[in-house]
Amino acid sequence: MLEGMKLVRRLASTPPFAKAVAAELVPGDAARSDVELGAAITTGIATYGHPPSTVPMGGPEDEWPSSTSRGP
């Protein structure tokens, strides 16, 4: 994760992205060392779960299916 964070920082500083990035929100420019970035990762990490099959997929007789044989 630390290497990923450093890679994203390098990418965000390139000309194509720098035009769209006003500032790094978290952990911010003050976090520079691997120790500081590691601490930000450790304190800011969270999990997210998305339960599958929470919407009926629909069938031929459904007027508003969430997906069809042709896709969403």
Side-chain angles (χ1 to χ4, degrees), residues 35-62:
V35 171
E36 292 168 325
L37 293 174
I41 292 168
T42 302
T43 58
I45 199 165
T47 60
Y48 172 77
H50 183 275
S53 303
T54 57
V55 176
M57 295 297 109
E61 69 283 346
D62 290 335

Side-chain angles (χ1 to χ4, degrees), residues 8-31:
V8 168
R9 280 182 158 186
R10 283 195 308 273
L11 289 172
S13 68
T14 63
F17 289 107
K19 292 184 243 175
V21 177
E24 181 180 280
L25 299 178
V26 176
D29 292 336

